[in-house]
Amino acid sequence: MKEIRLEALLERFRKAFQKIREQVETLTKLDAATGDGDHGVTMVRIVDKAEAAMDAKGFTDFPALFKAMGMGAMSAGGGSAGPLMGQFFLGLAQGLPENPDAMDTAAVAKFFEAGHAGMFKFSKANVGDRTMMDALKPAVDALQASAAAGEDVETALQKAAAAATEGARATEQMLAKFGRARNLGDRVLGSADPGATSWSFLFQGLTDND
């Protein structure tokens, strides 16, 4: 698949949101090991709010749609996850392609990089800090590498999902530099960061084109 329509990509976001709902227990268990155990429930609230915004806005005004998704995510509460996800969606609004009906891999990579940039303004976390960025940034890097290599959109999304999954798994051996987990020292070792794991699930859901 050389190109994907933005509307089609948004439909894949619905599947990514459903992936989060299906994995809520996994996320809850991970967060219980290093936090207060509410990350899974919080992520479900976030994706529910974002999807509700999609349903309300439809696909006629993409900037308004992504802004509504961002505001919805930020209204979900639950610590930093809502604001972080909200900033991601607001960032996507800044990376909208000129032609949403013909997004090649370069356009998709630019789109997700804008989302990452939006989140980075709020977070300032980098790869290695044991946060959502440990999955999101490798996924965006993989998209950009696929674009540079001339690979098709489907291949790029598959590689992004693999990179996000690998990045989340790598957090098992990282000390936390942000959030409550930073106070636990090496007690976090051996357990993956729940935020990074959430992003690995989101990217896995984005590869579902059934």
Side-chain angles (χ1 to χ4, degrees):
M1 182 176 62
K2 291 293 185 181
E3 297 176 335
I4 186 171
R5 297 176 61 195
L6 180 55
E7 184 173 337
L9 186 58
L10 275 163
E11 288 299 334
R12 294 201 190 192
F13 267 104
R14 292 186 190 274
K15 296 177 180 180
F17 295 162
Q18 182 57 28
K19 184 77 170 180
I20 290 293
R21 298 182 187 106
E22 293 170 356
Q23 296 294 335
V24 61
E25 291 187 10
T26 298
L27 297 174
T28 296
K29 290 178 181 178
L30 285 175
D31 194 39
T34 59
D36 52 16
D38 69 345
H39 182 72
V41 173
T42 296
M43 285 299 300
V44 170
R45 286 202 306 268
I46 290 169
V47 300
D48 284 350
K49 292 277 191 178
E51 189 161 7
M54 292 171 65
D55 293 335
K57 291 294 182 182
F59 297 119
T60 57
D61 185 343
F62 287 116
L65 171 64
F66 285 110
K67 289 176 183 177
M69 290 172 71
M71 297 306 294
M74 286 191 282
S75 73
S80 63
L84 286 167
M85 293 294 294
Q87 292 296 328
F88 172 78
F89 289 120
L90 292 176
L92 292 181
Q94 302 300 313
L96 288 169
E98 292 184 7
N99 182 6
D101 289 331
M103 292 176 65
D104 59 11
T105 304
V108 172
K110 180 181 178 182
F111 183 60
F112 278 94
E113 169 53 31
H116 167 264
M119 186 186 289
F120 187 71
K121 290 179 183 178
F122 181 86
S123 171
K124 302 303 183 184
N126 293 298
V127 171
D129 289 341
R130 191 184 167 93
T131 70
M132 290 181 173
M133 291 298 189
D134 284 293
L136 176 57
K137 185 61 165 61
V140 172
D141 289 347
L143 289 172
Q144 292 174 327
S146 288
E151 294 174 336
D152 61 53
V153 173
E154 200 63 56
T155 298
L157 289 173
Q158 292 283 349
K159 289 188 174 182
T165 301
E166 182 178 349
R169 188 177 298 118
T171 63
E172 294 178 1
Q173 303 305 318
M174 296 177 187
L175 298 178
K177 297 181 181 179
F178 289 83
R180 296 178 181 179
R182 71 182 183 277
N183 299 318
L184 297 179
D186 60 9
R187 283 180 288 173
V188 303
L189 299 179
S191 179
D193 177 70
T197 304
S198 291
W199 272 102
S200 72
F201 291 148
L202 284 165
F203 272 98
Q204 288 169 28
L206 288 172
T207 65
D208 186 354
N209 64 346
D210 294 334

